[in-house]
Amino acid sequence: MQIIAMFLASFLCFASLTSAHNSAKVGICYGQLGNNLPKPSKSTQLIKNLKAKRVKLYDTNPEILKALQKTNIQVSIMVPNNLITNISTNQTLSNTWVSTNVVPFYPQTMIRYLLVGNEILSNPPNTTWFNLVPAMRKIKYSLKKFGLKKIKVGTPLAMDCLESSFPPSNGTFRSDVKNTLIKPLLSFLNKTKSFFFIDVYPFFPWSSEPKSIDLNYALMNPTNVTYKDPSTNLTYTNLLDQMLDSVYFAMLKLGYPNTRLFIGETGWPNGCDIDQIGGNIYNAATYNRNLIKKLTTKPPLGTPARPGTILPSFIFALYNENQKAGPGTERHFGLLYPNGTSVYETDFSGKAKESEYKPLPKPTNNEPLKGVKIFCVVAEGANRTELAGALGYACGQGNGTCNAIQPGKKCYKPNSLVWHASYAFSSYWSQLRSTGASCYFNGLATQTTKDPSYGSCKFPSVNF
Ligand SMILES: *[C@@H]1O[C@H](CO)[C@@H](O)[C@H](O)[C@H]1NC(C)=O
Ligand SMILES: *[C@@H]1O[C@H](CO)[C@@H](O)[C@H](O)[C@H]1NC(C)=O
Ligand SMILES: *[C@@H]1O[C@H](CO)[C@@H](O)[C@H](O)[C@H]1NC(C)=O
Ligand SMILES: *[C@@H]1O[C@H](CO)[C@@H](O)[C@H](O)[C@H]1NC(C)=O
Ligand SMILES: *[C@@H]1O[C@H](CO)[C@@H](O)[C@H](O)[C@H]1NC(C)=O
Ligand SMILES: *[C@@H]1O[C@H](CO)[C@@H](O)[C@H](O)[C@H]1NC(C)=O
Ligand SMILES: *[C@@H]1O[C@H](CO)[C@@H](O)[C@H](O)[C@H]1NC(C)=O
Ligand SMILES: *[C@@H]1O[C@H](CO)[C@@H](O)[C@H](O)[C@H]1NC(C)=O
Ligand SMILES: *[C@@H]1O[C@H](CO)[C@@H](O)[C@H](O)[C@H]1NC(C)=O
Ligand SMILES: *[C@@H]1O[C@H](CO)[C@@H](O)[C@H](O)[C@H]1NC(C)=O
């Protein structure tokens, strides 16, 4: 009886938190790593068209902050990683940063979140890590000094801040940062009533283990596949909830069960390289539409460990960004093409009827490849000057990568920059792919299944 009374009390408490005023808002990440993206004023209009209620910037671009003035869009801005260390020991610098990058735009631009750094624990260990929380304190102090108390200070971390996330109840922060960094961070977030910002992508665990994780479970489609956590008996119906709860259990273990989660980034790629799977328009549209439906449901669904809680969020990203390094998926997270047209339809308000959406192209790359050879060659239109640099780089990596294109060797002829660079890219990639090398070279390279081998010159390939 007592238990029931407690349950009711907490239910009522959640209910009061979920008034219209507090309803979930889905935002968009406005990344700018493209050389072909629309101007801030056009971008602001496109964000409005999506009905996004929030936008996350990875900097404090003044032109963008101005374009967002007098809109109803809440804005999140960011202190760059390379300023963390200096700010952590210098209150004057922190004050100057806030007075330059925040004060002139507030309140006309609805700045609500100030993120210090971006996924810094995903970088190689360095002293910046341990300067993070001191820098956040300095920034918070500066905001208070300028009367900007509405702005929450946080820092987005990736799922690699956990050393275990399965089962969700086993969620544990990494031992190299648990006590020295995460604990002070949680204490700061608690004192300032801020959020733990987590970047969470079910796409990554699924694509690395597509045989053991059901695709529909990762896409949040209705499916019979469920997972029951043996320690808690909580039942999961999708991978996102499972990942979010692993963060919750990790926070619980450090004594902060009430810290609110904010999805700093989530999404699904609408395209990918030949050697990757699952990046396509069908999956991306399905994931993001299911996500919006889940997040905008009233009353809020929360997660199995914290039912009924609001999950504020940012979807990654506004545009496909052609200058993002790494595998092809990285350049295909956009809801929009750089020319502003939709890759697929979405409605961030959650009100659109799915039956009104145009039919989506059927996916063809949801299964791992078998028996296919992939080559890495020079992309169309590659800049000659940059290509010469990339050739030099590729030949300097690995072991004997460019032996075959030396004078007199089998692949020397035709003696052209494009031919030699294509050979070098394929050789580099096939030798070093297992250690994380990609077929990208800043956009100069592309994957192909067409074998460029000619005469006695055999191109190295990646084989599936
Ligand atoms: C330390 O990491 C930060 C980002 O987390 C980076 O900006 C900085 O260059 C790194 N410093 C060194 C010395 O590698
Ligand atoms: C940090 O401070 C040092 C010493 O004042 C300065 O040399 C350096 O340029 C500063 N770093 C940045 C990123 O502003
Ligand atoms: C602190 O930052 C201010 C403003 O950028 C700068 O003038 C000052 O030299 C810095 N102090 C130290 C000790 O680096
Ligand atoms: C829980 O996490 C630990 C590492 O923190 C790992 O060794 C262990 O296998 C995990 N338990 C299960 C049941 O997966
Ligand atoms: C769930 O299982 C039932 C019975 O096996 C089957 O009829 C139904 O189609 C399944 N639903 C999904 C979404 O897989
Ligand atoms: C989970 O369910 C099993 C079987 O019903 C039960 O024995 C166990 O006590 C439950 N565990 C928890 C944490 O509720
Ligand atoms: C802060 O921590 C205290 C003590 O654990 C807890 O009662 C409170 O709910 C927490 N507040 C927030 C906003 O997390
Ligand atoms: C916009 O770009 C996409 C992808 O490149 C293309 O398919 C589409 O036709 C373009 N739309 C317009 C209006 O230019
Ligand atoms: C090629 O790249 C170089 C170095 O980045 C640059 O200076 C040059 O303008 C580029 N050429 C063309 C035609 O884009
Ligand atoms: C490079 O290749 C040669 C010949 O196959 C081999 O003897 C040598 O050990 C290799 N070196 C490294 C660093 O792998």
Side-chain angles (χ1 to χ4, degrees), residues 175-291:
S175 51
D176 59 338
V177 288
K178 185 161 67 181
N179 293 317
T180 42
L181 192 157
I182 302 286
K183 235 183 172 170
L185 173 64
L186 289 169
S187 163
F188 170 84
L189 298 176
N190 176 292
K191 284 201 193 96
T192 58
K193 298 190 168 58
S194 186
F195 298 82
F196 190 95
F197 287 81
I198 183 77
D199 295 351
V200 54
Y201 290 92
F203 169 73
F204 292 116
W206 171 78
S207 64
S208 67
E209 286 185 69
K211 290 221 172 76
S212 48
I213 302 175
D214 181 67
L215 178 58
N216 286 315
Y217 186 76
L219 290 173
M220 282 191 281
N221 270 333
T223 165
N224 288 351
V225 176
T226 57
Y227 174 72
K228 185 168 163 186
D229 187 316
S231 313
T232 58
N233 288 343
L234 293 172
T235 297
Y236 291 87
T237 57
N238 66 74
L239 185 52
L240 178 72
D241 278 348
Q242 207 184 295
M243 294 168 84
L244 291 170
D245 273 359
S246 67
V247 180
Y248 162 73
F249 281 103
M251 298 193 300
L252 173 68
K253 281 176 198 153
L254 289 185
Y256 293 93
N258 298 321
T259 307
R260 294 173 295 173
L261 285 180
F262 199 125
I263 299 177
E265 283 181 8
T266 189
W268 195 286
N270 61 57
C272 60
D273 289 329
I274 301 168
D275 67 328
Q276 297 181 285
I277 62 165
N280 58 59
I281 292 177
Y282 184 93
N283 291 352
T286 302
Y287 177 80
N288 283 326
R289 289 174 187 173
N290 285 339
L291 174 82

Side-chain angles (χ1 to χ4, degrees), residues 67-321:
L68 288 164
Q69 279 179 359
K70 300 188 185 134
T71 62
N72 229 348
I73 302 169
Q74 297 191 349
V75 180
S76 175
I77 56 174
M78 196 175 275
V79 174
N81 289 351
N82 67 1
L83 280 184
I84 292 172
T85 293
N86 283 8
I87 287 179
S88 72
T89 55
N90 188 336
Q91 188 65 56
T92 312
L93 179 59
S94 170
N95 294 347
T96 307
W97 194 91
V98 168
S99 77
T100 311
N101 295 290
V102 188
V103 173
F105 305 100
Y106 191 94
Q108 296 88 343
T109 304
M110 287 171 48
I111 300 171
R112 291 290 178 276
Y113 308 98
L114 204 172
L115 304 181
V116 179
N118 194 33
E119 297 186 353
I120 74 159
L121 294 183
S122 308
N123 294 333
N126 82 27
T127 50
T128 301
W129 287 6
F130 304 101
N131 296 327
L132 175 65
V133 178
M136 292 170 79
R137 288 197 199 102
K138 293 269 191 302
I139 290 282
K140 184 69 193 174
Y141 183 89
S142 303
L143 290 172
K144 212 182 270 173
K145 177 181 152 73
F146 290 108
L148 310 174
K149 290 193 188 154
K150 260 194 185 171
I151 301 177
K152 300 283 185 205
V153 175
T155 188
L157 299 179
M159 285 297 286
D160 62 3
C161 66
L162 301 183
E163 69 183 14
S164 67
S165 58
F166 186 81
S169 61
N170 200 26
T172 312
F173 287 109
R174 258 160 48 187
S175 51
D176 59 338
V177 288
K178 185 161 67 181
N179 293 317
T180 42
L181 192 157
I182 302 286
K183 235 183 172 170
L185 173 64
L186 289 169
S187 163
F188 170 84
L189 298 176
N190 176 292
K191 284 201 193 96
T192 58
K193 298 190 168 58
S194 186
F195 298 82
F196 190 95
F197 287 81
I198 183 77
D199 295 351
V200 54
Y201 290 92
F203 169 73
F204 292 116
W206 171 78
S207 64
S208 67
E209 286 185 69
K211 290 221 172 76
S212 48
I213 302 175
D214 181 67
L215 178 58
N216 286 315
Y217 186 76
L219 290 173
M220 282 191 281
N221 270 333
T223 165
N224 288 351
V225 176
T226 57
Y227 174 72
K228 185 168 163 186
D229 187 316
S231 313
T232 58
N233 288 343
L234 293 172
T235 297
Y236 291 87
T237 57
N238 66 74
L239 185 52
L240 178 72
D241 278 348
Q242 207 184 295
M243 294 168 84
L244 291 170
D245 273 359
S246 67
V247 180
Y248 162 73
F249 281 103
M251 298 193 300
L252 173 68
K253 281 176 198 153
L254 289 185
Y256 293 93
N258 298 321
T259 307
R260 294 173 295 173
L261 285 180
F262 199 125
I263 299 177
E265 283 181 8
T266 189
W268 195 286
N270 61 57
C272 60
D273 289 329
I274 301 168
D275 67 328
Q276 297 181 285
I277 62 165
N280 58 59
I281 292 177
Y282 184 93
N283 291 352
T286 302
Y287 177 80
N288 283 326
R289 289 174 187 173
N290 285 339
L291 174 82
I292 293 169
K293 211 186 317 166
K294 171 186 167 68
L295 297 178
T296 56
T297 296
K298 285 183 201 174
L301 298 169
T303 63
R306 290 206 286 200
T309 48
I310 292 173
L311 280 166
S313 60
F314 291 109
I315 293 179
F316 192 89
L318 185 56
Y319 299 116
N320 281 349
E321 295 168 69

